[in-house]
Amino acid sequence: MDEPILSEDEWKKRLAPERFRVLREKGTEMPFSGELLSTEKEGVYSCAGCGNIIFSSEAKYDSGSGWPSFFDIIGEDRVEKHRDGSYGKDGMEITCARCRGHLGHLFDDATSPTGLRYCINSLSLEFHNKSDTNDNAIVSEPLTPTP
Ligand code: FE
C-alpha cells in the first residue's frame, strides 16, 4: 500500500472534527453513542475518510459491546491489521487499507458466527443504503490534495 497522499492538515480540512479525532488520531467514540450502532438496514459500510467499501450489512450483528460490530469484511485487502498491546493480546487495530484511517479493533468473540468481531467506530463509517445505490455507484473520494 502506498503512503497516504494527503497531509494531516488536508484531512483536517476534509473531515468533521469528531471524525478527524477518530480516523486520524485513533480516537474512540463513546460506547452506545454511535449513529450506526443499531442500523439494521441492508447496504454497505464504507470508510468515512475515503469511501473504501469495507463491510456489508449481512455481516453486522449485535455484539452488545456498544460499537457497530461485524463478523466479516468484504475483502481482506480492504483493511490492515496492527498489533495493539493496549487492547490485550487478542485485540488488533484495524485501519483502512486505502487511506490508513483508524476504524476500530478486531477481537476474538465466541458469540460471533466466525469467531471474530470487527468492533468499529460509527464515526469511521458511512452507511450506503442498498435501495439507494449499488457497490459500483459509490464514488470513492480522490485522495489528492484540494487545490
Ligand atoms: Fe479510508
Side-chain angles (χ1 to χ4, degrees):
M1 185 59 51
D2 294 327
E3 286 302 309
I5 299 160
L6 296 179
S7 67
E8 293 309 306
D9 278 353
E10 193 70 31
W11 282 117
K12 205 164 239 173
K13 278 191 255 169
R14 287 187 175 216
L15 298 171
E18 63 274 18
R19 286 205 198 271
F20 181 86
R21 193 180 64 79
V22 174
L23 282 163
R24 307 311 308 178
E25 300 183 323
K26 303 189 189 300
T28 300
E29 70 198 14
M30 293 289 285
F32 300 100
S33 75
E35 229 174 87
L36 300 173
L37 176 61
S38 310
T39 305
E40 290 179 357
K41 286 181 248 173
E42 267 185 76
V44 293
Y45 294 82
S46 69
C47 167
C50 75
N52 181 18
I53 297 163
I54 302 176
F55 300 105
S56 162
S57 58
E58 287 167 29
K60 194 169 188 284
Y61 74 109
D62 182 5
S63 69
S65 67
W67 290 277
S69 297
F70 302 85
F71 56 78
D72 204 1
I73 52 180
I74 281 180
E76 283 293 330
D77 60 340
R78 307 295 167 99
V79 301
E80 289 177 347
K81 300 170 188 175
H82 314 268
R83 282 273 158 226
D84 180 349
S86 61
Y87 282 83
K89 66 178 171 65
D90 298 323
M92 281 202 283
E93 188 202 355
I94 300 297
T95 57
C96 172
R98 185 159 179 262
C99 74
R100 300 234 166 133
H102 173 80
L103 302 174
H105 291 86
L106 174 63
F107 299 101
D108 290 333
D109 181 352
T111 71
S112 137
T114 57
L116 296 173
R117 168 163 50 97
Y118 291 86
C119 198
I120 306 297
N121 291 285
S122 285
L123 287 168
S124 299
L125 296 175
E126 199 90 65
F127 176 70
H128 307 270
N129 236 315
K130 194 181 181 181
S131 55
D132 293 348
T133 185
N134 60 57
D135 285 14
N136 297 327
I138 296 167
V139 180
S140 293
E141 288 287 331
L143 294 181
T144 45
T146 45

